[in-house]
Amino acid sequence: MDIDRANFLIFTLLGIILECCNAIPGPIDLGQALSDRSQYPQIKGYFRIEANIIQMLNPRGTTRMYLPCDVIPGRCDPKISVAIDYETPNNDFGKDSVPYSRYVQVFDGSGLANVDINKIVSKDVCNHDTRKVNVRVRAVDKDWIRNDEIDHYSCFILTTDPPAEDEKSARWSEEKTCVGHNGSHKIIWKYRWFFIPESDCKEIAGSSGIIRRNIPFFGK
């Protein structure tokens, strides 16, 4: 076994150990929920949330635990999925909030670090209420042993910017940045949300959202 392969296996095992130590589900953040009640008005009714996930930036090609994705520096095999969570926005990723089985895949590639995605994920909320929406983005590095977490991203929509009256009057937000656990990892995204007629509301059981359309990416 050559030195590079041996070092890579050591880093992989170290990553597994470190990740296991951080995998204990955290409690529901009741303090944050109470704070939200005092800061953000309650929105209730029939509305649609659209999140445009534009890019994932991972300039060093590393995982959530700051380890290289691959033997070749600066490259990962990323699979990226999204869930729009209006019910448990303050909870930890995983079983404390939206199960990973309900995330919608928006990208699957190999030999990449920075990724152009530019897909819109949508969710209808039908006669429920919220004070905060967490557009959860999960990126993993596909591997022959196991998938490693590249990072988790919480991208928030706050009710201080309420839904538009209808789709026609809805405007996209400015591009925003969500930072992962590893500070060099970022998601570039934007959103819009708007009220819809009750007859148009289609809250799909067992699904966190749907990809409404793909948009060709035009780099800056």
Side-chain angles (χ1 to χ4, degrees), residues 103-172:
Y103 280 54
V104 176
Q105 184 175 303
V106 295
F107 186 86
D108 190 347
S110 299
L112 301 167
N114 297 333
V115 176
D116 296 334
I117 305 167
N118 220 39
K119 289 184 179 175
I120 294 176
V121 175
S122 170
K123 183 170 182 63
D124 287 359
V125 178
C126 303
N127 201 29
H128 299 297
D129 61 80
T130 191
R131 297 177 189 273
K132 177 194 287 183
V133 177
N134 189 345
V135 179
R136 298 179 181 271
V137 182
R138 183 189 187 215
V140 300
D141 175 51
K142 299 170 296 180
D143 201 354
W144 60 279
I145 299 176
R146 64 191 293 274
N147 290 342
D148 296 315
E149 296 285 352
I150 292 177
D151 227 318
H152 296 155
Y153 307 86
S154 288
C155 305
F156 290 111
I157 301 171
L158 305 176
T159 56
T160 46
D161 176 24
E165 183 178 345
D166 53 33
E167 183 172 8
K168 184 179 295 185
S169 60
R171 297 290 180 267
W172 287 99

Side-chain angles (χ1 to χ4, degrees), residues 142-215:
K142 299 170 296 180
D143 201 354
W144 60 279
I145 299 176
R146 64 191 293 274
N147 290 342
D148 296 315
E149 296 285 352
I150 292 177
D151 227 318
H152 296 155
Y153 307 86
S154 288
C155 305
F156 290 111
I157 301 171
L158 305 176
T159 56
T160 46
D161 176 24
E165 183 178 345
D166 53 33
E167 183 172 8
K168 184 179 295 185
S169 60
R171 297 290 180 267
W172 287 99
S173 69
E174 297 295 322
E175 288 188 5
K176 298 178 176 294
T177 301
C178 304
V179 180
H181 173 80
N182 181 329
S184 67
H185 297 170
K186 297 178 174 65
I187 290 289
I188 310 300
W189 74 298
K190 60 184 178 180
Y191 73 89
R192 67 175 188 168
W193 59 335
F194 48 89
F195 287 103
I196 57 176
E198 179 179 352
S199 58
D200 290 347
C201 202
K202 298 176 176 60
E203 191 165 34
I204 302 170
S207 174
S208 65
I210 57 173
I211 300 175
R212 293 181 60 82
R213 57 185 176 272
N214 298 344
I215 303 175

Side-chain angles (χ1 to χ4, degrees), residues 43 77 79 92 107 123:
I43 298 293
D77 299 324
K79 183 164 68 173
D92 293 338
F107 186 86
K123 183 170 182 63

